Amino acid sequence: MIRVVIPAHLRTLAKVNSEVILELNGQVTQRSILDALETKYPVLRGTIRDHVTLQRRPFIRFFACKEDFSLESPDLPLPDAIASGKEPFMIIGAIAGG
């Protein structure tokens, strides 16, 4: 069980009220989480990653276990705490302002 926290505006789009629970088989990576998230909630395709390149959108960041994984390879295995559901994988949208 993987716990995923998505930004409020994406929760509204996906029509979920809190964190999302995903079931993954195999290695837990950013790519496997995002693939499963987009499969379960197709409306999120293109909001977190580019439709064509599947690259992270510039103002989206990925955090887990108090670390920033945004610039890591999408195929890098994530910590066991994420794979076990102990810690959530957090998708954070940038906040702009003056």
Side-chain angles (χ1 to χ4, degrees):
M1 175 187 85
I2 308 296
R3 297 167 43 213
V4 181
V5 175
I6 59 177
H9 65 288
L10 295 183
R11 285 195 305 265
T12 301
L13 189 62
K15 297 182 180 165
V16 296
N17 293 323
S18 61
E19 64 186 28
V20 174
I21 305 297
L22 300 173
E23 297 295 332
L24 294 181
N25 295 319
Q27 198 168 44
V28 176
T29 65
Q30 290 179 43
R31 186 183 311 276
S32 67
I33 289 174
L34 295 174
D35 287 349
L37 182 67
E38 290 175 351
T39 298
K40 188 170 183 177
Y41 301 99
V43 70
L44 296 180
R45 287 191 182 126
T47 62
I48 300 167
R49 302 184 291 184
D50 181 88
H51 281 285
V52 176
T53 66
L54 299 181
Q55 296 291 314
R56 174 182 57 85
R57 295 254 180 220
F59 296 108
I60 296 287
R61 308 291 291 194
F62 302 134
F63 292 90
C65 301
K66 300 179 182 176
E67 292 184 45
D68 184 353
F69 287 89
S70 304
L71 301 178
E72 300 292 336
S73 166
D75 296 315
L76 180 74
L78 293 171
D80 289 339
I82 303 300
S84 68
K86 184 176 178 183
E87 294 285 333
F89 181 76
M90 298 172 46
I91 301 169
I92 307 292
I95 299 171

Coordinates of all heavy atoms in Angstrom, one line a residue:
M1 N 0.8 -1.2 0.0 CA 0.0 0.0 0.0 C 0.9 1.2 0.0 O 1.8 1.4 0.8 CB -0.9 0.0 1.2 CG -1.7 1.3 1.4 SD -2.6 1.4 2.9 CE -1.3 2.0 4.0
I2 N 0.6 2.1 -1.0 CA 1.4 3.4 -1.1 C 0.4 4.5 -0.8 O -0.7 4.5 -1.3 CB 1.9 3.6 -2.5 CG1 2.7 2.3 -3.0 CG2 2.8 4.8 -2.6 CD1 3.9 2.0 -2.2
R3 N 0.9 5.4 0.1 CA 0.0 6.6 0.4 C 0.6 7.8 -0.4 O 1.8 8.0 -0.4 CB 0.1 6.9 1.9 CG -0.5 5.8 2.7 CD -0.1 5.9 4.2 NE -0.3 7.3 4.7 CZ 0.5 7.8 5.7 NH1 1.5 7.1 6.2 NH2 0.3 9.0 6.1
V4 N -0.3 8.5 -1.1 CA 0.2 9.6 -1.9 C -0.6 10.8 -1.5 O -1.9 10.8 -1.5 CB 0.0 9.3 -3.4 CG1 0.5 10.5 -4.3 CG2 0.7 8.0 -3.8
V5 N 0.1 11.9 -1.2 CA -0.6 13.2 -0.9 C -0.4 14.0 -2.2 O 0.7 14.2 -2.7 CB 0.1 13.8 0.3 CG1 -0.5 15.2 0.5 CG2 -0.1 13.0 1.5
I6 N -1.6 14.5 -2.7 CA -1.5 15.4 -3.8 C -2.1 16.8 -3.4 O -2.8 16.9 -2.5 CB -2.3 14.8 -5.0 CG1 -3.8 14.5 -4.6 CG2 -1.7 13.5 -5.5 CD1 -4.6 14.0 -5.8
P7 N -1.7 17.8 -4.2 CA -2.1 19.2 -3.9 C -3.7 19.3 -3.9 O -4.3 18.5 -4.6 CB -1.5 20.0 -5.0 CG -0.4 19.2 -5.6 CD -0.8 17.8 -5.4
A8 N -4.2 20.2 -3.2 CA -5.6 20.4 -3.0 C -6.3 20.5 -4.4 O -7.4 19.9 -4.6 CB -5.9 21.6 -2.1
H9 N -5.8 21.3 -5.3 CA -6.5 21.5 -6.6 C -6.5 20.2 -7.4 O -7.5 20.0 -8.1 CB -5.8 22.6 -7.4 CG -4.4 22.4 -7.8 ND1 -3.4 22.4 -7.0 CD2 -3.9 22.1 -9.0 CE1 -2.3 22.1 -7.6 NE2 -2.6 21.9 -8.9
L10 N -5.5 19.3 -7.2 CA -5.6 18.0 -7.9 C -6.5 17.1 -7.2 O -7.1 16.2 -7.8 CB -4.2 17.4 -8.0 CG -3.2 18.2 -8.9 CD1 -1.9 17.5 -9.0 CD2 -3.8 18.5 -10.3
R11 N -6.7 17.2 -5.8 CA -7.6 16.4 -5.1 C -9.0 16.7 -5.6 O -9.9 15.8 -5.8 CB -7.5 16.6 -3.6 CG -6.3 16.0 -3.0 CD -6.5 15.9 -1.5 NE -6.7 17.1 -0.8 CZ -5.8 17.9 -0.3 NH1 -4.5 17.6 -0.4 NH2 -6.1 19.0 0.3
T12 N -9.3 18.0 -5.8 CA -10.6 18.4 -6.4 C -10.8 17.8 -7.8 O -11.9 17.3 -8.0 CB -10.7 20.0 -6.4 OG1 -10.5 20.5 -5.1 CG2 -12.0 20.4 -7.0
L13 N -9.8 17.9 -8.6 CA -9.9 17.4 -9.9 C -10.2 15.9 -9.9 O -11.0 15.4 -10.7 CB -8.6 17.7 -10.7 CG -8.6 17.5 -12.2 CD1 -9.6 18.3 -12.9 CD2 -7.2 17.7 -12.8
A14 N -9.5 15.2 -9.0 CA -9.6 13.7 -9.0 C -10.8 13.3 -8.1 O -11.1 12.1 -8.1 CB -8.3 13.1 -8.4
K15 N -11.5 14.3 -7.5 CA -12.6 14.0 -6.6 C -12.3 13.0 -5.5 O -13.0 12.1 -5.2 CB -13.8 13.5 -7.5 CG -14.2 14.5 -8.5 CD -15.4 14.0 -9.3 CE -15.8 15.1 -10.3 NZ -16.6 14.7 -11.3
V16 N -11.2 13.4 -4.8 CA -10.8 12.7 -3.6 C -10.7 13.7 -2.5 O -10.4 14.9 -2.7 CB -9.5 11.9 -3.8 CG1 -9.6 10.8 -4.8 CG2 -8.3 12.8 -4.1
N17 N -10.9 13.3 -1.3 CA -10.9 14.2 -0.1 C -9.6 14.2 0.7 O -9.3 15.2 1.4 CB -12.0 13.9 0.8 CG -13.4 14.1 0.2 OD1 -13.5 15.1 -0.6 ND2 -14.3 13.2 0.4
S18 N -8.8 13.2 0.6 CA -7.6 13.1 1.4 C -6.5 12.4 0.6 O -6.6 12.4 -0.7 CB -7.9 12.4 2.7 OG -8.3 11.1 2.4
E19 N -5.6 11.8 1.3 CA -4.5 11.2 0.5 C -5.0 10.0 -0.3 O -6.1 9.4 0.1 CB -3.4 10.7 1.5 CG -3.8 9.7 2.5 CD -2.6 9.5 3.5 OE1 -1.8 10.3 3.7 OE2 -2.6 8.3 4.0
V20 N -4.3 9.6 -1.3 CA -4.7 8.5 -2.2 C -4.0 7.3 -1.8 O -2.8 7.3 -1.5 CB -4.4 9.0 -3.7 CG1 -4.7 7.8 -4.6 CG2 -5.2 10.2 -4.1
I21 N -4.7 6.2 -1.8 CA -4.0 4.9 -1.5 C -3.9 4.1 -2.9 O -4.8 4.0 -3.6 CB -4.9 4.0 -0.6 CG1 -5.2 4.8 0.7 CG2 -4.2 2.7 -0.3 CD1 -3.9 5.2 1.5
L22 N -2.7 3.6 -3.1 CA -2.4 2.9 -4.3 C -1.8 1.5 -3.9 O -1.1 1.4 -3.0 CB -1.4 3.6 -5.2 CG -1.8 5.0 -5.7 CD1 -0.6 5.6 -6.4 CD2 -3.0 4.9 -6.6
E23 N -2.1 0.5 -4.7 CA -1.5 -0.8 -4.6 C -0.5 -1.0 -5.7 O -0.9 -0.9 -6.9 CB -2.6 -1.9 -4.6 CG -3.6 -1.8 -3.5 CD -3.0 -2.0 -2.1 OE1 -1.9 -2.7 -2.0 OE2 -3.5 -1.5 -1.1
L24 N 0.7 -1.3 -5.4 CA 1.8 -1.4 -6.4 C 2.4 -2.8 -6.2 O 2.6 -3.3 -5.1 CB 2.8 -0.4 -6.3 CG 2.5 1.0 -6.6 CD1 3.7 1.9 -6.4 CD2 1.9 1.2 -7.9
N25 N 2.7 -3.4 -7.4 CA 3.5 -4.6 -7.4 C 4.9 -4.3 -7.9 O 5.0 -3.5 -8.8 CB 2.8 -5.7 -8.3 CG 1.5 -6.1 -7.7 OD1 1.3 -6.3 -6.5 ND2 0.5 -6.3 -8.6
G26 N 5.9 -4.9 -7.3 CA 7.2 -4.6 -7.8 C 7.9 -3.5 -7.1 O 7.4 -3.0 -6.0
Q27 N 8.9 -3.0 -7.7 CA 9.7 -1.9 -7.2 C 8.9 -0.6 -7.1 O 8.2 -0.2 -8.0 CB 11.0 -1.7 -8.0 CG 12.1 -1.0 -7.3 CD 13.4 -1.1 -8.1 OE1 13.4 -0.9 -9.3 NE2 14.4 -1.3 -7.4
V28 N 9.1 0.1 -6.0 CA 8.4 1.4 -5.8 C 9.3 2.5 -6.2 O 10.4 2.7 -5.5 CB 7.9 1.5 -4.3 CG1 7.3 2.9 -4.1 CG2 6.9 0.4 -4.0
T29 N 9.0 3.2 -7.3 CA 9.8 4.3 -7.8 C 8.8 5.5 -8.0 O 7.6 5.3 -8.0 CB 10.5 3.9 -9.1 OG1 9.4 3.7 -10.1 CG2 11.4 2.7 -8.9
Q30 N 9.4 6.6 -8.3 CA 8.5 7.8 -8.7 C 7.6 7.4 -9.9 O 6.4 7.6 -9.9 CB 9.3 9.0 -9.0 CG 10.0 9.6 -7.9 CD 10.8 10.8 -8.3 OE1 10.4 11.6 -9.2 NE2 12.0 10.9 -7.9
R31 N 8.3 6.8 -10.9 CA 7.6 6.4 -12.1 C 6.4 5.4 -11.8 O 5.3 5.6 -12.3 CB 8.5 5.8 -13.1 CG 7.9 5.5 -14.5 CD 8.8 4.9 -15.5 NE 10.1 5.5 -15.6 CZ 10.4 6.6 -16.3 NH1 9.4 7.1 -17.1 NH2 11.6 7.1 -16.4
S32 N 6.7 4.4 -11.0 CA 5.7 3.4 -10.7 C 4.5 4.0 -10.0 O 3.3 3.7 -10.2 CB 6.2 2.2 -10.0 OG 6.6 2.5 -8.7
I33 N 4.8 4.9 -9.0 CA 3.7 5.6 -8.3 C 2.9 6.5 -9.2 O 1.7 6.5 -9.2 CB 4.3 6.5 -7.1 CG1 4.9 5.5 -6.0 CG2 3.3 7.4 -6.6 CD1 5.6 6.2 -4.9
L34 N 3.6 7.3 -10.1 CA 2.9 8.2 -11.0 C 2.1 7.4 -12.0 O 1.0 7.8 -12.4 CB 3.8 9.2 -11.6 CG 4.5 10.2 -10.6 CD1 5.5 11.0 -11.2 CD2 3.5 11.0 -9.9
D35 N 2.7 6.3 -12.5 CA 1.9 5.5 -13.5 C 0.6 5.0 -12.8 O -0.4 5.0 -13.4 CB 2.8 4.3 -14.0 CG 3.9 4.8 -14.9 OD1 3.9 5.9 -15.4 OD2 4.8 3.9 -15.2
A36 N 0.8 4.4 -11.6 CA -0.4 3.9 -10.9 C -1.4 5.0 -10.6 O -2.6 4.8 -10.7 CB 0.0 3.2 -9.6
L37 N -0.9 6.2 -10.2 CA -1.8 7.3 -9.9 C -2.6 7.7 -11.1 O -3.8 7.9 -11.1 CB -1.0 8.4 -9.3 CG -1.8 9.7 -8.9 CD1 -2.6 9.4 -7.7 CD2 -0.8 10.8 -8.6
E38 N -1.9 7.8 -12.3 CA -2.6 8.2 -13.5 C -3.5 7.1 -14.0 O -4.5 7.5 -14.7 CB -1.6 8.6 -14.5 CG -0.8 9.9 -14.2 CD 0.3 10.3 -15.1 OE1 0.6 9.5 -16.0 OE2 0.8 11.4 -15.0
T39 N -3.2 5.9 -13.7 CA -4.1 4.8 -14.2 C -5.4 4.8 -13.3 O -6.5 4.7 -13.9 CB -3.4 3.4 -14.0 OG1 -2.3 3.4 -14.9 CG2 -4.3 2.3 -14.3
K40 N -5.2 5.0 -12.0 CA -6.4 5.1 -11.2 C -7.2 6.4 -11.4 O -8.5 6.3 -11.3 CB -6.0 4.9 -9.7 CG -7.1 4.8 -8.7 CD -6.6 4.4 -7.3 CE -7.8 4.2 -6.4 NZ -7.3 3.7 -5.1
Y41 N -6.5 7.5 -11.6 CA -7.2 8.8 -11.8 C -6.7 9.4 -13.1 O -5.9 10.2 -13.2 CB -6.9 9.7 -10.7 CG -7.3 9.2 -9.3 CD1 -6.4 8.5 -8.5 CD2 -8.6 9.2 -8.9 CE1 -6.7 8.0 -7.3 CE2 -9.0 8.7 -7.7 CZ -8.1 8.1 -6.9 OH -8.4 7.6 -5.7
P42 N -7.3 8.9 -14.3 CA -6.9 9.4 -15.6 C -7.0 10.9 -15.8 O -6.2 11.5 -16.5 CB -7.8 8.7 -16.6 CG -8.4 7.5 -15.8 CD -8.3 7.9 -14.4
V43 N -7.8 11.5 -15.0 CA -8.0 13.0 -15.1 C -6.7 13.7 -14.7 O -6.5 14.9 -15.0 CB -9.2 13.4 -14.3 CG1 -8.9 13.3 -12.8 CG2 -9.6 14.8 -14.6
L44 N -5.8 13.0 -14.0 CA -4.6 13.7 -13.5 C -3.5 13.6 -14.6 O -2.4 14.2 -14.4 CB -4.1 13.0 -12.2 CG -5.0 13.2 -11.0 CD1 -4.4 12.5 -9.8 CD2 -5.3 14.7 -10.7
R45 N -3.7 12.8 -15.6 CA -2.7 12.8 -16.7 C -2.4 14.1 -17.2 O -3.3 14.9 -17.6 CB -3.1 11.8 -17.8 CG -3.1 10.4 -17.4 CD -3.3 9.5 -18.6 NE -3.3 8.1 -18.2 CZ -4.2 7.2 -18.4 NH1 -5.2 7.6 -19.2 NH2 -4.2 6.0 -17.9
G46 N -1.1 14.5 -17.3 CA -0.7 15.8 -17.8 C -0.7 16.9 -16.8 O -0.2 18.0 -17.0
T47 N -1.1 16.6 -15.6 CA -1.1 17.6 -14.5 C 0.2 17.6 -13.7 O 0.7 18.6 -13.3 CB -2.3 17.5 -13.6 OG1 -2.2 16.2 -12.9 CG2 -3.6 17.6 -14.3
I48 N 0.7 16.4 -13.6 CA 2.0 16.2 -12.8 C 3.1 16.1 -13.7 O 4.2 16.6 -13.4 CB 1.8 15.0 -11.8 CG1 0.6 15.3 -10.9 CG2 3.1 14.8 -11.1 CD1 0.2 14.1 -10.1
R49 N 2.9 15.3 -14.8 CA 4.0 15.1 -15.8 C 3.5 15.5 -17.1 O 2.3 15.5 -17.4 CB 4.3 13.6 -15.8 CG 4.8 13.0 -14.5 CD 5.2 11.5 -14.7 NE 4.1 10.7 -15.0 CZ 4.2 9.3 -15.1 NH1 5.4 8.8 -15.0 NH2 3.1 8.6 -15.3
D50 N 4.4 15.8 -18.0 CA 4.1 16.2 -19.4 C 3.5 14.9 -20.0 O 3.9 13.8 -19.8 CB 5.3 16.6 -20.1 CG 5.0 17.0 -21.5 OD1 4.7 18.2 -21.7 OD2 5.1 16.1 -22.4
H51 N 2.4 15.1 -20.9 CA 1.8 14.0 -21.6 C 2.7 13.2 -22.4 O 2.7 12.0 -22.4 CB 0.7 14.6 -22.5 CG -0.6 14.9 -21.9 ND1 -1.5 14.0 -21.4 CD2 -1.1 16.1 -21.6 CE1 -2.5 14.7 -20.9 NE2 -2.3 16.0 -21.0
V52 N 3.6 13.9 -23.1 CA 4.5 13.2 -24.1 C 5.8 12.7 -23.5 O 6.1 11.5 -23.6 CB 4.8 14.1 -25.3 CG1 5.7 13.5 -26.3 CG2 3.5 14.6 -26.0
T53 N 6.5 13.6 -22.8 CA 7.8 13.2 -22.3 C 7.8 12.5 -20.9 O 8.7 11.9 -20.5 CB 8.7 14.5 -22.1 OG1 8.1 15.3 -21.1 CG2 8.8 15.3 -23.4
L54 N 6.6 12.6 -20.2 CA 6.5 12.1 -18.9 C 7.5 12.7 -17.9 O 7.7 12.1 -16.8 CB 6.6 10.6 -18.9 CG 5.5 9.8 -19.7 CD1 5.7 8.3 -19.6 CD2 4.1 10.2 -19.3
Q55 N 8.0 13.9 -18.2 CA 8.9 14.6 -17.3 C 8.0 15.4 -16.3 O 6.9 15.9 -16.6 CB 9.7 15.6 -18.1 CG 10.7 15.0 -19.1 CD 11.8 14.2 -18.4 OE1 12.4 14.7 -17.4 NE2 12.0 13.0 -18.8
R56 N 8.5 15.5 -15.1 CA 7.9 16.3 -14.1 C 7.6 17.7 -14.5 O 8.5 18.3 -15.1 CB 8.8 16.3 -12.8 CG 8.3 17.1 -11.7 CD 9.3 17.1 -10.5 NE 10.6 17.5 -10.9 CZ 11.0 18.7 -10.9 NH1 10.2 19.7 -10.6 NH2 12.3 19.0 -11.2
R57 N 6.4 18.2 -14.3 CA 6.2 19.6 -14.6 C 7.1 20.5 -13.8 O 7.4 20.2 -12.6 CB 4.7 19.9 -14.3 CG 3.8 19.2 -15.3 CD 3.2 20.1 -16.3 NE 2.3 19.3 -17.2 CZ 2.3 19.5 -18.5 NH1 3.1 20.4 -19.0 NH2 1.5 18.8 -19.2
P58 N 7.5 21.7 -14.3 CA 8.5 22.5 -13.6 C 8.1 22.9 -12.2 O 8.9 23.0 -11.3 CB 8.6 23.7 -14.5 CG 8.2 23.3 -15.8 CD 7.2 22.2 -15.6
F59 N 6.8 23.2 -11.9 CA 6.4 23.7 -10.6 C 5.9 22.6 -9.7 O 5.2 22.9 -8.7 CB 5.4 24.8 -10.8 CG 6.1 26.0 -11.5 CD1 5.7 26.3 -12.8 CD2 7.0 26.7 -10.9 CE1 6.3 27.4 -13.5 CE2 7.7 27.8 -11.5 CZ 7.3 28.1 -12.8
I60 N 6.2 21.4 -10.0 CA 5.8 20.2 -9.2 C 7.0 19.7 -8.5 O 8.1 19.5 -9.1 CB 5.1 19.1 -10.0 CG1 3.8 19.7 -10.6 CG2 4.8 17.9 -9.2 CD1 2.6 19.8 -9.6
R61 N 6.9 19.4 -7.2 CA 8.0 18.8 -6.5 C 7.6 17.5 -5.8 O 6.4 17.3 -5.5 CB 8.6 19.7 -5.4 CG 8.9 21.1 -5.9 CD 10.1 21.2 -6.7 NE 11.3 20.9 -6.0 CZ 12.5 21.1 -6.4 NH1 12.7 21.6 -7.6 NH2 13.5 20.8 -5.7
F62 N 8.5 16.6 -5.6 CA 8.2 15.3 -5.0 C 9.0 15.2 -3.7 O 10.2 15.3 -3.7 CB 8.6 14.1 -5.9 CG 7.9 14.1 -7.2 CD1 8.6 13.9 -8.4 CD2 6.6 14.4 -7.3 CE1 8.0 13.9 -9.6 CE2 5.9 14.4 -8.6 CZ 6.7 14.1 -9.7
F63 N 8.3 14.9 -2.6 CA 9.0 14.7 -1.3 C 8.6 13.4 -0.7 O 7.4 12.9 -0.8 CB 8.6 15.9 -0.3 CG 9.1 17.2 -0.7 CD1 8.4 18.0 -1.5 CD2 10.4 17.6 -0.3 CE1 8.9 19.3 -1.9 CE2 10.9 18.8 -0.6 CZ 10.1 19.7 -1.5
A64 N 9.5 12.8 0.1 CA 9.2 11.6 0.8 C 10.2 11.5 1.9 O 11.4 11.8 1.7 CB 9.3 10.4 -0.1
C65 N 9.8 11.1 3.1 CA 10.7 10.9 4.2 C 11.6 12.1 4.5 O 12.8 12.0 4.7 CB 11.6 9.6 4.0 SG 10.6 8.1 3.8
K66 N 11.0 13.3 4.4 CA 11.7 14.6 4.6 C 12.8 14.8 3.6 O 13.7 15.6 3.9 CB 12.2 14.6 6.0 CG 11.1 14.5 7.1 CD 11.7 14.6 8.5 CE 10.5 14.4 9.5 NZ 11.0 14.3 10.8
E67 N 12.8 14.2 2.5 CA 13.8 14.4 1.4 C 13.1 14.9 0.1 O 12.0 14.5 -0.1 CB 14.6 13.2 1.1 CG 15.5 12.7 2.3 CD 16.3 11.5 1.9 OE1 16.8 11.5 0.8 OE2 16.3 10.6 2.7
D68 N 13.8 15.7 -0.6 CA 13.3 16.1 -1.9 C 13.8 15.2 -3.0 O 15.0 15.1 -3.2 CB 13.8 17.6 -2.2 CG 13.2 18.2 -3.5 OD1 12.6 17.5 -4.2 OD2 13.5 19.4 -3.7
F69 N 12.9 14.5 -3.7 CA 13.3 13.5 -4.7 C 13.0 14.1 -6.1 O 13.1 13.4 -7.1 CB 12.5 12.2 -4.5 CG 12.9 11.4 -3.4 CD1 12.4 11.6 -2.1 CD2 13.9 10.5 -3.6 CE1 12.8 10.8 -1.0 CE2 14.4 9.7 -2.5 CZ 13.8 9.9 -1.2
S70 N 12.7 15.4 -6.2 CA 12.3 16.0 -7.4 C 13.3 15.9 -8.5 O 13.0 15.7 -9.7 CB 12.0 17.5 -7.2 OG 11.0 17.6 -6.2
L71 N 14.6 16.0 -8.2 CA 15.6 15.9 -9.2 C 16.3 14.6 -9.4 O 17.2 14.4 -10.1 CB 16.7 17.0 -8.9 CG 16.2 18.4 -8.8 CD1 17.3 19.4 -8.4 CD2 15.5 18.8 -10.1
E72 N 15.7 13.6 -8.6 CA 16.3 12.2 -8.7 C 15.7 11.5 -9.9 O 14.6 11.9 -10.5 CB 15.9 11.4 -7.5 CG 16.5 12.0 -6.2 CD 18.0 11.9 -6.1 OE1 18.6 11.0 -6.7 OE2 18.6 12.8 -5.4
S73 N 16.3 10.5 -10.4 CA 15.8 9.7 -11.5 C 14.4 9.1 -11.1 O 14.2 8.6 -10.0 CB 16.8 8.5 -11.8 OG 16.1 7.6 -12.6
P74 N 13.5 9.1 -12.1 CA 12.2 8.6 -11.8 C 12.2 7.1 -11.5 O 11.2 6.5 -11.0 CB 11.3 9.0 -13.0 CG 12.3 9.3 -14.1 CD 13.6 9.7 -13.4
D75 N 13.3 6.4 -11.9 CA 13.4 5.0 -11.7 C 14.2 4.6 -10.5 O 14.4 3.4 -10.2 CB 14.0 4.3 -12.9 CG 13.1 4.5 -14.1 OD1 11.9 4.3 -14.0 OD2 13.6 4.9 -15.2
L76 N 14.6 5.6 -9.7 CA 15.3 5.3 -8.4 C 14.4 4.7 -7.4 O 13.3 5.2 -7.2 CB 15.9 6.6 -7.9 CG 16.7 6.5 -6.6 CD1 18.1 5.9 -6.9 CD2 16.9 7.9 -6.0
P77 N 14.7 3.6 -6.8 CA 13.9 3.0 -5.8 C 13.7 4.0 -4.6 O 14.6 4.6 -4.2 CB 14.6 1.7 -5.3 CG 15.5 1.4 -6.4 CD 15.9 2.7 -7.1
L78 N 12.5 4.1 -4.1 CA 12.2 5.0 -3.0 C 12.4 4.2 -1.7 O 12.4 3.0 -1.7 CB 10.7 5.5 -3.1 CG 10.5 6.4 -4.3 CD1 9.1 6.7 -4.5 CD2 11.3 7.7 -4.2
P79 N 12.5 5.0 -0.6 CA 12.7 4.3 0.7 C 11.6 3.3 1.1 O 10.5 3.4 0.7 CB 12.7 5.5 1.7 CG 13.1 6.7 0.9 CD 12.5 6.4 -0.5
D80 N 12.0 2.3 1.9 CA 11.1 1.2 2.3 C 9.9 1.8 3.0 O 8.8 1.2 3.0 CB 11.8 0.2 3.2 CG 12.8 -0.6 2.4 OD1 12.6 -0.7 1.1 OD2 13.7 -1.2 3.0
A81 N 10.1 2.9 3.7 CA 9.0 3.5 4.5 C 7.9 3.9 3.5 O 6.7 3.9 3.9 CB 9.5 4.7 5.3
I82 N 8.2 4.3 2.3 CA 7.2 4.6 1.3 C 6.5 3.3 0.8 O 5.3 3.3 0.7 CB 7.8 5.4 0.1 CG1 8.5 6.6 0.5 CG2 6.7 5.7 -1.0 CD1 7.7 7.6 1.2
A83 N 7.3 2.3 0.5 CA 6.7 1.1 0.0 C 5.8 0.4 1.0 O 4.9 -0.3 0.6 CB 7.9 0.1 -0.4
S84 N 6.1 0.6 2.3 CA 5.3 -0.1 3.3 C 4.1 0.8 3.7 O 3.2 0.3 4.5 CB 6.1 -0.3 4.6 OG 6.5 0.9 5.2
G85 N 4.0 2.0 3.2 CA 2.9 2.9 3.6 C 3.1 3.6 4.9 O 2.2 4.4 5.3
K86 N 4.2 3.5 5.5 CA 4.5 4.2 6.8 C 4.6 5.7 6.5 O 4.2 6.5 7.4 CB 5.8 3.6 7.4 CG 6.2 4.2 8.7 CD 7.4 3.5 9.3 CE 7.8 4.1 10.6 NZ 9.0 3.6 11.1
E87 N 5.2 6.1 5.5 CA 5.4 7.5 5.1 C 4.7 7.7 3.8 O 4.8 6.9 2.9 CB 6.9 7.9 5.0 CG 7.6 7.8 6.3 CD 7.3 9.0 7.2 OE1 6.9 10.0 6.7 OE2 7.4 8.8 8.4
P88 N 4.1 8.9 3.6 CA 3.4 9.2 2.3 C 4.5 9.7 1.3 O 5.5 10.3 1.6 CB 2.4 10.3 2.6 CG 3.0 11.0 3.8 CD 3.8 9.9 4.6
F89 N 4.1 9.5 0.0 CA 4.8 10.2 -1.1 C 4.1 11.4 -1.4 O 2.9 11.4 -1.6 CB 4.8 9.2 -2.3 CG 5.6 9.8 -3.5 CD1 6.9 9.9 -3.6 CD2 4.8 10.4 -4.6 CE1 7.6 10.4 -4.7 CE2 5.5 10.9 -5.7 CZ 6.9 10.9 -5.7
M90 N 4.7 12.6 -1.3 CA 4.0 13.8 -1.3 C 4.3 14.6 -2.7 O 5.5 14.7 -3.0 CB 4.4 14.7 -0.2 CG 4.0 14.1 1.1 SD 4.6 14.9 2.6 CE 4.3 16.5 2.4
I91 N 3.3 15.0 -3.3 CA 3.4 15.7 -4.6 C 3.0 17.1 -4.2 O 1.8 17.4 -3.8 CB 2.5 15.2 -5.7 CG1 2.9 13.7 -6.0 CG2 2.6 16.0 -6.9 CD1 2.0 12.9 -6.9
I92 N 3.9 18.1 -4.4 CA 3.7 19.4 -3.9 C 3.7 20.4 -5.1 O 4.7 20.3 -5.9 CB 4.7 19.9 -2.9 CG1 4.8 18.8 -1.7 CG2 4.5 21.3 -2.3 CD1 3.6 18.8 -0.8
G93 N 2.7 21.3 -5.2 CA 2.7 22.3 -6.2 C 3.4 23.5 -5.6 O 3.3 23.8 -4.5
A94 N 4.2 24.2 -6.5 CA 4.9 25.4 -6.1 C 3.9 26.5 -5.7 O 2.8 26.6 -6.2 CB 5.8 25.9 -7.2
I95 N 4.3 27.3 -4.7 CA 3.5 28.5 -4.3 C 4.3 29.7 -4.8 O 5.4 29.9 -4.4 CB 3.3 28.5 -2.8 CG1 2.6 27.2 -2.4 CG2 2.6 29.7 -2.4 CD1 2.5 27.0 -0.9
A96 N 3.6 30.5 -5.6 CA 4.2 31.7 -6.1 C 3.7 32.9 -5.4 O 2.5 32.9 -4.9 CB 4.0 31.9 -7.6
G97 N 4.5 33.9 -5.2 CA 4.0 35.1 -4.6 C 5.1 36.1 -4.4 O 6.2 35.8 -4.6
G98 N 4.7 37.3 -3.9 CA 5.8 38.3 -3.8 C 6.2 38.5 -2.4 O 6.1 37.8 -1.5

